[in-house]
Amino acid sequence: MPHKEENKISIVELHPTFAAEVHGVDFSGDVSDEQFDEVYKAITKYGVLAFRNTDLDDARHVAFSARFGELDDVSPYTKMGKKNRLPFEQLFDVSNLLEDGSVAPLDSHRSAMNKGNSLFHVDSSFNPRRAGYSLLRAHELPPKGTGGNTEYADARTAFDELPEDLKNELLEKDYVVCHSLYHSRKLASPQSLPGVNPEDHFMSRHKLVQRHEPSGRVNLYIASHAHHVEGISPEKSKEIIDTVYKHACQPKYVVSIEWKNNNDLIMWDNTCVMHRAAGGSFEGKYKRDMRRTTVHDGSIHAWGLNEKTTDRMGSVNEMDRRLRS
Ligand code: OGA
Ligand code: MN
C-alpha cells in the first residue's frame, strides 16, 4: 500500500483571492475517492482549478466530470440537425472548427458565435437549469505565442468588495436578472442574428445576489447574458447591470490562465466565477480544439425562478412555443 501522503494533491495559487493549479491527481484510471474529495474541496475554495498534462481522453474526461453531478448534453442541438463533431453527446464543441474539422474562417457564422465567449460570462445561465461546473480540456492547442488563454473573474470577492451603498441596495432589493443567449451573442457580434430580438424569446430568471451553497460565501451572479433586471425601469436596469458587470470584471479580480499542453484541463464553478476566451492571433489560422463537459448545477439556486423543464437553448423553438402557450 502506498503511504497516504503519496496520494495527496498539491496546490499552487494563481491569484491572491481565487484560482489554483493542482498537481498530483492521477487521471490515468479512475481518480481515487480520496483525491476526488480533495479536488472537490479545492474547487469549492478556489472556484477555478487547472490540471496540467492530464492523461484524460474524451471518455475519461466525461467519466471524471460525471462524478460532480448530472451532465448536460448537446442533444437539443443535434435534434435540430446540427452535427456533433465529437464522439460523446456530453462533449460541447468549444473549438474554432467547422463540422468537417477545418478552421472556421473569421467571417463565418461559427466565428461570430464564438465571439460571444470573449465576453465574461457563466455557462448556461440562459437555460432554465443553469450550469454548475464546467470542465474544459485542450485536445489540440494552437502554436505557442498565438494566444488562446482563458480568463476568469472572481465574483465572490467582487461581491465582498462592492461599494457599501450598492451592496446594501442589492441586498435590500434582491433583484432578479433575466438572461438570454441571443443577447450576449448580439452584444459580441452586433451584425449577427439579424431580425432576432432577444425579448421575443425565452429568458431565464436568476437572483443577482445569492449564497454560493458549497462555500457559504455570497456571489454576484452576473454575465454577458444578463439582459435586464426585472420590475424596474429600462434605464435603472441598464445602470445596475452595467455597474455590477463592470465592477466584477475589473483587472484586480481577473486571472489569465495559459493553456500549456494538449490535455491540460481547467475546471471552474459557474456559480462563483465568470470566464472568457481571450482570443489571439491563432483565430482564423490555427486549430484550437477545446472540448467541454458541463455539469448541471445541483444547488438550491439551480433553476433560479424558472419552471423546472428540461428545455435548453438549441431547443429554443420548443421553449418559445411554451412561452407563447
Ligand atoms: C467555454 C468557454 C472559453 C475558452 O468553454 O464555456 O467559454 O477559452 N471557453 O475557450
Ligand atoms: Mn463559456
Side-chain angles (χ1 to χ4, degrees), residues 252-266:
K252 64 180 170 183
Y253 301 131
V254 171
V255 67
S256 185
I257 304 185
E258 184 191 353
W259 294 89
K260 294 185 175 162
N261 322 282
N262 293 342
N263 280 335
D264 281 359
L265 175 82
I266 304 184

Side-chain angles (χ1 to χ4, degrees), residues 94 117 121-124 134 185 225 268 270 275-276 292:
V94 195
N117 281 344
H121 66 281
V122 297
D123 291 331
S124 307
S134 290
R185 291 301 178 258
H225 311 306
W268 62 88
N270 291 290
H275 63 282
R276 74 177 204 102
R292 191 190 82 207

Side-chain angles (χ1 to χ4, degrees), residues 106-314:
L106 286 178
D107 60 0
S108 62
H109 181 71
R110 171 91 185 156
S111 294
M113 293 299 98
N114 278 355
K115 258 212 153 354
N117 281 344
S118 69
L119 303 176
F120 272 112
H121 66 281
V122 297
D123 291 331
S124 307
S125 64
F126 44 77
N127 281 336
R129 186 180 183 182
R130 68 180 187 173
Y133 307 109
S134 290
L135 294 93
L136 185 63
R137 183 176 73 90
H139 185 75
E140 186 177 343
L141 289 169
K144 281 215 183 315
T146 62
N149 283 16
T150 305
E151 299 188 344
Y152 296 90
D154 181 356
R156 289 178 295 188
T157 302
F159 172 82
D160 293 343
E161 298 181 0
L162 277 171
E164 215 52 36
D165 288 3
L166 183 56
K167 188 191 273 187
N168 290 336
E169 179 188 338
L170 298 189
L171 287 170
E172 188 190 317
K173 304 274 190 195
D174 203 15
Y175 291 124
V176 172
V177 172
C178 297
H179 295 251
S180 161
L181 181 61
Y182 291 132
H183 173 63
S184 54
R185 291 301 178 258
K186 287 179 87 91
L187 262 187
S189 306
Q191 315 313 333
S192 69
L193 305 172
V196 175
N197 178 6
E199 307 202 15
D200 295 340
H201 299 271
F202 170 84
M203 289 199 198
S204 173
R205 301 162 68 220
H206 290 280
K207 292 277 176 78
L208 174 56
V209 173
Q210 38 181 266
R211 198 169 290 280
H212 176 247
E213 213 172 69
S215 68
R217 293 181 62 191
V218 180
N219 179 54
L220 283 173
Y221 194 62
I222 186 81
S224 55
H225 311 306
H227 178 269
H228 70 277
V229 179
E230 219 168 64
I232 57 175
S233 72
E235 296 73 32
K236 176 73 179 161
S237 161
K238 183 168 164 35
E239 182 195 317
I240 290 172
I241 287 180
D242 289 355
T243 307
V244 171
Y245 186 67
K246 226 173 114 196
H247 168 78
C249 297
Q250 288 177 81
K252 64 180 170 183
Y253 301 131
V254 171
V255 67
S256 185
I257 304 185
E258 184 191 353
W259 294 89
K260 294 185 175 162
N261 322 282
N262 293 342
N263 280 335
D264 281 359
L265 175 82
I266 304 184
M267 92 176 268
W268 62 88
D269 181 344
N270 291 290
T271 69
C272 66
V273 300
M274 286 192 283
H275 63 282
R276 74 177 204 102
S281 59
F282 72 89
E283 289 171 89
K285 283 202 212 80
Y286 299 109
K287 287 187 184 186
R288 180 174 185 268
D289 186 345
M290 311 297 283
R291 304 172 178 199
R292 191 190 82 207
T293 54
T294 316
V295 183
H296 285 303
D297 184 16
S299 83
I300 51 164
H301 303 297
W303 300 89
L305 288 84
N306 306 306
E307 194 192 333
K308 291 189 180 179
T309 71
T310 54
D311 290 343
R312 286 157 283 171
M313 277 304 285

